[in-house]
Amino acid sequence: MSFAPQPTDAAAIATIRILAADVVAKSNSGHPGAPMGMAPAAHILFSRFMNANPKSSKWFNRDRFVLSVLDLTCERNPCVLQYTMLHLLGYKLSMDDLKAFRQLDSLTPGHPEAGHTDGIEVTTGPLGQGFANGVGLAIGQAHLGAVYNKDGFELINNYTYVFCGDGCLMEGVSAEAASLAGHLQLGNLIVVYDDNHISIDGDTACAFTEDVGGRFVSYGWQVLQVDNGDSDLAAISDAITAARLEKSKPTIIKLKTTIGFGSKEQGTHGVHGAPLKADDIAALKTKFGFSPNEKFHVPKETYDAYAEAAKRGATSEASWNALLASYGEKYPTEHAELSRRMAGKLPEGWEKSLPVYKASDSAQASRKLSEIVLTALSPVIPDLMGGSADLTGSNLTKVKGSTDFQPSSTNLGTYAGTYIRYGVREHAMGAIANGLAAYGGIVPFVATFLNFVSYAAGAVRLSALSKAQVIWVATHDSIGLGEDGPTHQPVETNAHFRAIPNLAFWRPADGNETSAAYAVALKSTQTPSILSLSRQNLPNLEASTIELASRGGYVVHEETGEDLTIVSCGSEVSIAVEAAKKLKEQGLKTRVVSLPCWLVFDQQDLEYRLSVLRSGAPILSLEALSTLGWEKYSHEQYGLPSWGASGPYLKVYEKFGITGSNIAVVGKKVVDFYKKKGGEVVSPLIKAFTL
Amino acid sequence: MSFAPQPTDAAAIATIRILAADVVAKSNSGHPGAPMGMAPAAHILFSRFMNANPKSSKWFNRDRFVLSVLDLTCERNPCVLQYTMLHLLGYKLSMDDLKAFRQLDSLTPGHPEAGHTDGIEVTTGPLGQGFANGVGLAIGQAHLGAVYNKDGFELINNYTYVFCGDGCLMEGVSAEAASLAGHLQLGNLIVVYDDNHISIDGDTACAFTEDVGGRFVSYGWQVLQVDNGDSDLAAISDAITAARLEKSKPTIIKLKTTIGFGSKEQGTHGVHGAPLKADDIAALKTKFGFSPNEKFHVPKETYDAYAEAAKRGATSEASWNALLASYGEKYPTEHAELSRRMAGKLPEGWEKSLPVYKASDSAQASRKLSEIVLTALSPVIPDLMGGSADLTGSNLTKVKGSTDFQPSSTNLGTYAGTYIRYGVREHAMGAIANGLAAYGGIVPFVATFLNFVSYAAGAVRLSALSKAQVIWVATHDSIGLGEDGPTHQPVETNAHFRAIPNLAFWRPADGNETSAAYAVALKSTQTPSILSLSRQNLPNLEASTIELASRGGYVVHEETGEDLTIVSCGSEVSIAVEAAKKLKEQGLKTRVVSLPCWLVFDQQDLEYRLSVLRSGAPILSLEALSTLGWEKYSHEQYGLPSWGASGPYLKVYEKFGITGSNIAVVGKKVVDFYKKKGGEVVSPLIKAFTL
Ligand SMILES: [Ca+2]
Ligand SMILES: [Ca+2]
């Protein structure tokens, strides 16, 4: 597309710059730098290229825009740029909302939050995340396009645009994502890099002197450069056009900009942390032909110009809807399936495919049970798209006969494939999965050892915050992995993930519990899940059912008038059952409770929870990790006192006393202690207040 | 150095290959691939170049060797290579130790552990960590060399060698570290990359097709290539020589090797996860001229060859000791200081410089209090070497007048400088700090927002596991950061870090507590610390002293016959004090306990702990994050029910009810509940057993 300048361009760009300065000044917090520097690029992108309908912000084939937190001066957050654009384009964001920037309960929080503000695709702020989310959004398009597009029906062909800055590009998560995006030849991904030579600590000369362009060429990207991103609108437009034309490589546009362009402090990092001073804002307004005293002013011609862009988007959506309708006539099956997926619904009756087990079925590792679930569900739920960070054979995530998601030139798969080879890139994998979930029509799962989910902690908490349905297949979940030793054995991991709001951390004990974990994870469209799975074999429990386990906790072995309850999860439940048997031989009645998912258990009504973890006898928790947090459900806690150890797994369990016989000894101690103490033993669930 | 082939080379390399296969076969676990592929490079490096004394493995100016877990076939762990070399060279690792590979409590665990096995510099296994540790080791040399070397006294001039594989180079942490190493022009860092085109998922064609060499050139590295790493010993030697000659760039040597070279399955990823089959090992032995039936055989000529290398190292150390002695005559002051630092001791009386506060001193943010400590201690403890991940102005970590650690060609500092500009690279920062701590003579501190320490979770747990004294200055530690909102407000973070063994997580409440946190962190040479610090101002407490806070927990406000105790930490302690005052007005006596560090508190004797958190009245915990884990110290818990919020911080505190008046209301509820319940209220510290 050749660039056609418009008489309204200058005013629109000035409006963005000035509005940003006013908004930030009012909030007395935040970062005016980047919005100013990136105003021309934002204007060109949104006025000329973005294919999106502000009045229908969830239209499936819209272009996606991600602000990967370049911040103001630097890279901490120019989300005021995004809010400003959304307002000008007519999304559900009023001038009053802009004025409430960074105020409590406003639609314009300090960083953009998906699901909170109309038009925000992904939650960004933590550096590098948005960049990697963009790779996920681009994979989503490439995949669904390959699956559903037909000759004459280019239904899914949107672009993904990412704005990022120096900070994002210093982060390892973006490096991982960029390497994979190059490998995958994602031609629909266009990154605009605000190359302003400044970050929070000052000139990038102090820490970031690499040749970014050369690096991206090495990843297999197209690298373009705009020398004057402050005012050369034609060059910006031409670069975006060239990026769109390159279909087999992602593109990064190095846009040379001046931080805080137009302000007195332009080009210095004085612009970034603090709002512009009042006299500087006034001077800025005068310079751009605005009244120095008027605040939050948007010229009518600017609103009109963006209304045109919005209209273009609305028209585009209307044509697309017509195309979809005629697709439905020619390809009714695909149409039905695509419609279902776009609506975020799973196929009717998929739960019937969940494997069910009897106690007599042979013991299996829960990572193997997970493979059985994936094998059963994949044909029924084509929405499942997953992969592993180079541990496919250990995580058991590749269903037999599935195809790799690969560019066809590799001869290793196609874009229609559902299995993603993430490479050893856990953090990017998590962030890419957030992008896939945000794209829609896809239920992403990702896999590594549980201990290395921690490498992706930054992405995991954003899954939970932004309500992204991402399923982690986290195998080798304890000292049960044996020989790999303490560097690979999680200790703190479960406490970490259980403390994250809206994250379902599952540690199933057997086959039915593994099916239950998948069942709930798949139904929870607003909640990510981590499935913590064993390397070693686990026997099937007598009492387990999918229904019971789906409540997050239930009684595995019941007794009346018990002396003790042992509450446990995962591979230790069967050890608790063994301990209970030994205690029975000594005349002590021991109930056993399995608590595979705290989040889900906490959502049950109090009556049910109190029937599971009742008053009357002490409760002892058992898990082969740190005990931290188990105090919530028990009076006494058994677990690892410190790090694990390298050795055959049964010997490691023995070393730490996590065996039926030792837990029976511990259980007896607990019973004696509480008998001696006297008084009523009250359930730990009974509290003075709830938060 | 031009390569001089030795008649013993072939047998030595064959011995490494065969011994690795025997060791792995016996353990019936682990990965024979990499040790085989990398045997020639290991032999050339250790027999020709490494300047180290196996009989004195802590000699300060030794060359450092890091096995950044290329694994066997792939990259999961070829530590058997390292164990084999250590044994052959005469470190404290016997053939029996090798035979106990991956057995419980052996000196040869599944991954190399520093402090556990003689000659292991850093704990590796988790991919990418060793690479970044290597950058830290190289910074340590560059810095101490710049500070202490004098004309004619090149005391500190060792090299750091890192072996890594595809897996390490896919990880973001290594990308971050490589970019920084290039910027810092670390000519003493030499990485040998096992470029064998295979990882655990198979051919690297499936996920890792970038131009690695081009990428490292973009970072500013020297990139060399050895086309036949399997047998071209001269080329290997020449590459290492060229790497040593390049003084202003780190070097990566792309060593093309064949996985499992010599075995029937060479070049396939069948070699990596599983031990070689018995017949394959026998064939391998025959091929290399060894008896097919003899196991764990080392030819005398091989032991002799490595004994020569060891002797070279011993001679080198002796010359160095002489050099150090004459340095001491000419530069007694520097000599004394260097000797002290090499011994890992802090200067006498440094504690006297710790700031002390009275309650009447003005309220300050604990990040500011941290800056005051650093300002006071930096002149006294030159060992302190730290920096921030591009948040210097927010973390307040740069002491006035300090010099940047930079190559002098940048004109931004010198290698003698102590302030490191890490860029936005949290994960590498943590791993580099582990390398700095491992180097010795340096007490590294690193800084970012508390929420983004999670990006470095993989490095943090290895600090704790490998007992690396690293201090994290983690500011903006709660909803108290205000406007940046939930993407930046930690919720799960404290539970996560408190669950890591041997990690001191400090959340000081005022000036004296901040001084105490630093005091204990600096004395704990085997324990990393995270100092969780506020953005907002905190008043000084009446009762706080460095001595009391150094016990990890103490009584801030005492009452006899109390109705309630509130236990809290950090910015919420003063809110608890306010609540106690309000409850007093209602006639309820409320004690207040500050618990700045759980790890340290748990180390106090039970009598002391029970005097702080005593029986008799309910204990309510208060912290503006997830309550998870506080059940350990309290009967009832107040905190965040879910995510934080974006807004001015006092309004955010108000929203979540974390104010003196609301906590008084909650406290009253707790008192009433326990009164109604009746019976004795027993301290949560009284337990049936301890782990
Ligand atoms: Ca920048
Ligand atoms: Ca490899």
Side-chain angles (χ1 to χ4, degrees), chain A residues 73-75 165-166 194 196-199:
Chain A
T73 266
C74 31
E75 282 75 30
D166 296 292
D194 182 18
N196 63 4
H197 276 270
I198 211 151
S199 72

Side-chain angles (χ1 to χ4, degrees), chain A residues 102-422:
Chain A
R102 296 184 148 231
Q103 300 308 303
L104 200 60
D105 301 325
S106 76
L107 287 176
T108 47
H111 294 88
E113 295 175 28
H116 180 78
T117 309
D118 188 40
I120 301 289
E121 303 283 357
V122 288
T123 300
T124 54
L127 292 174
Q129 299 291 335
F131 184 102
N133 297 160
V135 174
L137 290 165
I139 291 174
Q141 182 281 320
H143 175 66
L144 291 178
V147 173
Y148 293 107
N149 290 351
K150 305 279 182 190
D151 268 357
F153 294 95
E154 278 280 306
L155 278 174
I156 316 278
N157 65 357
N158 70 282
Y159 286 96
T160 296
Y161 296 97
V162 176
F163 277 16
C164 79
D166 296 292
C168 281
L169 295 187
M170 287 190 246
E171 288 286 5
V173 61
S174 70
E176 293 174 6
S179 175
L180 186 59
H183 168 76
L184 293 174
Q185 305 173 19
L186 299 171
N188 58 352
L189 175 63
I190 299 170
V191 173
V192 181
Y193 160 38
D194 182 18
D195 187 10
N196 63 4
H197 276 270
I198 211 151
S199 72
I200 295 189
D201 266 16
D203 196 296
T204 51
C206 79
F208 189 50
T209 50
E210 63 170 58
D211 168 12
V212 172
R215 172 155 69 96
F216 275 78
V217 167
S218 304
Y219 291 142
W221 287 52
Q222 172 177 230
V223 177
L224 304 174
Q225 180 158 323
V226 173
D227 289 327
N228 173 4
D230 295 328
S231 49
D232 190 345
L233 305 188
I236 294 170
S237 173
D238 291 349
I240 296 175
T241 298
R244 291 161 57 101
L245 288 173
E246 171 57 76
K247 296 292 185 193
S248 61
K249 285 178 179 181
T251 295
I252 185 167
I253 301 170
K254 289 180 66 181
L255 189 78
K256 302 257 177 196
T257 69
T258 308
I259 188 79
F261 180 78
S263 91
K264 287 180 186 163
E265 299 192 69
Q266 78 173 43
T268 75
H269 87 135
V271 212
H272 74 89
L276 290 184
K277 293 189 191 74
D279 64 332
D280 201 1
I281 296 182
L284 187 75
K285 289 178 180 174
T286 306
K287 182 169 175 177
F288 288 131
F290 282 57
S291 158
N293 302 317
E294 207 168 4
K295 285 187 184 167
F296 302 104
H297 176 63
V298 177
K300 182 173 177 304
E301 61 179 302
T302 297
Y303 274 133
D304 289 349
Y306 286 114
E308 278 302 309
K311 205 171 119 189
R312 191 185 67 230
T315 307
S316 181
E317 183 183 3
S319 319
W320 188 85
N321 285 333
L323 186 71
L324 180 65
S326 64
Y327 178 87
E329 284 165 25
K330 196 155 177 195
Y331 304 102
T333 313
E334 288 86 346
H335 179 269
E337 189 175 79
L338 175 60
S339 301
R340 174 188 67 68
R341 291 176 71 167
M342 292 193 298
K345 296 210 165 89
L346 293 184
E348 285 293 317
W350 64 271
E351 303 96 319
K352 290 180 202 129
S353 301
L354 285 167
V356 179
Y357 298 84
K358 297 184 303 291
S360 56
D361 290 333
S362 61
Q364 297 196 79
S366 48
R367 61 172 171 154
K368 180 74 189 164
L369 295 163
S370 159
E371 184 186 34
I372 295 169
V373 174
L374 286 173
T375 302
L377 291 184
S378 291
V380 185
I381 308 179
D383 321 43
L384 282 167
M385 184 175 193
S388 158
D390 197 42
L391 284 169
T392 296
S394 300
N395 301 141
L396 303 178
T397 32
K398 188 167 190 316
V399 167
K400 215 173 257 180
S402 64
T403 303
D404 272 18
F405 175 83
Q406 298 274 7
S408 47
S409 68
T410 59
N411 289 321
L412 297 169
T414 71
Y415 280 163
T418 53
Y419 195 74
I420 303 179
R421 302 283 179 174
Y422 279 105

Side-chain angles (χ1 to χ4, degrees), chain B residues 17 33 36-37 194-196 229-230 256-262 266-267:
Chain B
R17 297 191 200 272
M36 294 188 182
D194 182 17
D195 187 9
N196 63 3
D230 295 328
K256 303 257 175 196
T257 69
T258 308
I259 189 80
F261 180 79
Q266 77 174 42

Side-chain angles (χ1 to χ4, degrees), chain B residues 84-305:
Chain B
T84 303
M85 298 312 299
L86 292 174
H87 168 71
L88 294 173
L89 286 157
Y91 285 83
K92 294 194 192 83
L93 206 68
S94 68
M95 186 61 86
D96 282 341
D97 293 324
L98 285 188
K99 289 180 186 169
F101 181 53
R102 296 184 147 233
Q103 300 309 303
L104 201 59
D105 300 327
S106 76
L107 287 177
T108 47
H111 293 91
E113 295 175 27
H116 180 80
T117 309
D118 188 38
I120 300 289
E121 303 284 357
V122 287
T123 300
T124 54
L127 293 174
Q129 299 292 334
F131 184 102
N133 297 158
V135 174
L137 290 165
I139 292 174
Q141 182 282 318
H143 175 66
L144 291 178
V147 173
Y148 294 106
N149 289 351
K150 305 279 183 190
D151 267 358
F153 294 94
E154 277 282 304
L155 277 175
I156 316 280
N157 64 357
N158 70 282
Y159 286 96
T160 296
Y161 296 96
V162 177
F163 278 15
C164 79
D166 296 292
C168 281
L169 295 188
M170 285 189 249
E171 288 285 6
V173 61
S174 69
E176 293 174 4
S179 175
L180 186 60
H183 168 77
L184 293 173
Q185 305 173 19
L186 299 171
N188 57 352
L189 175 63
I190 299 170
V191 173
V192 182
Y193 160 38
D194 182 17
D195 187 9
N196 63 3
H197 277 271
I198 212 150
S199 71
I200 295 188
D201 266 16
D203 196 295
T204 50
C206 80
F208 189 49
T209 50
E210 62 170 59
D211 168 13
V212 173
R215 173 156 68 97
F216 275 78
V217 167
S218 303
Y219 291 141
W221 288 53
Q222 172 177 231
V223 177
L224 304 174
Q225 180 158 324
V226 173
D227 289 327
N228 173 2
D230 295 328
S231 49
D232 190 345
L233 305 189
I236 295 170
S237 173
D238 290 350
I240 296 176
T241 298
R244 290 161 56 101
L245 289 173
E246 171 56 75
K247 296 291 185 191
S248 61
K249 286 179 180 180
T251 295
I252 185 166
I253 301 170
K254 289 180 65 182
L255 190 78
K256 303 257 175 196
T257 69
T258 308
I259 189 80
F261 180 79
S263 91
K264 287 178 188 168
E265 300 192 68
Q266 77 174 42
T268 76
H269 87 135
V271 212
H272 74 91
L276 290 184
K277 293 190 190 75
D279 64 332
D280 201 0
I281 297 182
L284 187 76
K285 288 177 180 173
T286 307
K287 182 168 175 178
F288 288 131
F290 282 58
S291 157
N293 302 318
E294 207 169 4
K295 285 188 182 163
F296 302 102
H297 175 64
V298 177
K300 182 174 176 302
E301 61 179 301
T302 298
Y303 274 133
D304 289 349

Side-chain angles (χ1 to χ4, degrees), chain B residues 329-618:
Chain B
E329 285 164 24
K330 195 153 176 198
Y331 303 103
T333 312
E334 288 85 346
H335 178 271
E337 189 176 79
L338 175 60
S339 301
R340 174 189 64 71
R341 291 177 68 167
M342 292 192 299
K345 296 209 167 92
L346 293 184
E348 286 291 319
W350 64 271
E351 303 97 320
K352 288 179 203 131
S353 301
L354 286 167
V356 180
Y357 298 84
K358 297 184 303 291
S360 57
D361 290 333
S362 61
Q364 298 193 79
S366 48
R367 62 174 171 152
K368 180 72 190 169
L369 295 163
S370 160
E371 183 186 35
I372 295 169
V373 174
L374 287 172
T375 303
L377 292 185
S378 292
V380 186
I381 309 179
D383 322 44
L384 281 167
M385 184 174 193
S388 158
D390 197 41
L391 284 170
T392 297
S394 299
N395 300 141
L396 303 178
T397 32
K398 187 166 192 317
V399 166
K400 213 173 259 183
S402 64
T403 304
D404 271 19
F405 174 84
Q406 298 275 6
S408 46
S409 69
T410 60
N411 290 320
L412 297 170
T414 71
Y415 281 163
T418 53
Y419 194 74
I420 303 178
R421 301 283 178 174
Y422 279 105
V424 192
R425 304 180 178 105
E426 297 85 2
H427 200 173
M429 177 169 70
I432 288 170
N434 288 342
L436 283 168
Y439 190 82
I442 290 168
V443 178
F445 66 91
V446 291
T448 184
F449 286 0
L450 175 60
N451 193 50
F452 300 117
V453 182
S454 303
Y455 269 42
V460 169
R461 90 186 298 272
L462 283 176
S463 300
L465 177 58
S466 56
K467 301 177 183 161
Q469 184 179 24
V470 172
I471 301 173
W472 282 82
V473 179
T475 70
H476 296 64
D477 73 344
S478 75
I479 51 170
L481 63 80
E483 289 85 351
D484 272 336
T487 56
H488 286 51
Q489 292 163 350
V491 175
E492 76 285 11
T493 316
N494 297 7
H496 174 193
F497 294 130
R498 284 169 179 150
I500 295 183
N502 190 41
L503 174 66
F505 182 86
W506 285 90
R507 194 158 179 259
D510 73 350
N512 290 329
E513 289 198 9
T514 305
S515 290
Y518 271 100
V520 178
L522 285 165
K523 285 176 194 163
S524 308
T525 59
Q526 303 292 301
T527 301
S529 302
I530 295 177
L531 315 190
S532 165
L533 303 166
S534 74
R535 178 188 182 222
Q536 74 272 31
N537 286 344
L538 310 178
N540 286 293
L541 304 169
E542 290 284 346
S544 77
T545 66
I546 294 178
E547 293 65 34
L548 281 168
S550 294
R551 303 195 76 170
Y554 64 101
V555 181
V556 163
H557 175 72
E558 191 53 282
E559 294 276 358
T560 47
E562 75 274 15
D563 299 286
L564 179 71
T565 293
I566 305 179
V567 58
S568 185
C569 67
S571 42
E572 285 74 71
V573 175
S574 55
I575 295 172
V577 171
E578 205 188 317
K581 279 188 195 140
K582 289 188 191 292
L583 285 164
K584 186 90 171 189
E585 288 163 16
Q586 301 169 44
L588 293 175
K589 292 197 270 184
T590 305
R591 297 167 75 237
V592 178
V593 166
S594 179
L595 214 63
C597 183
W598 296 10
L599 182 82
V600 171
F601 183 67
D602 289 351
Q603 290 162 349
Q604 308 301 311
D605 59 66
L606 184 61
E607 189 185 345
Y608 176 73
R609 283 182 285 132
L610 279 175
S611 76
V612 175
L613 295 172
R614 66 191 178 202
S615 298

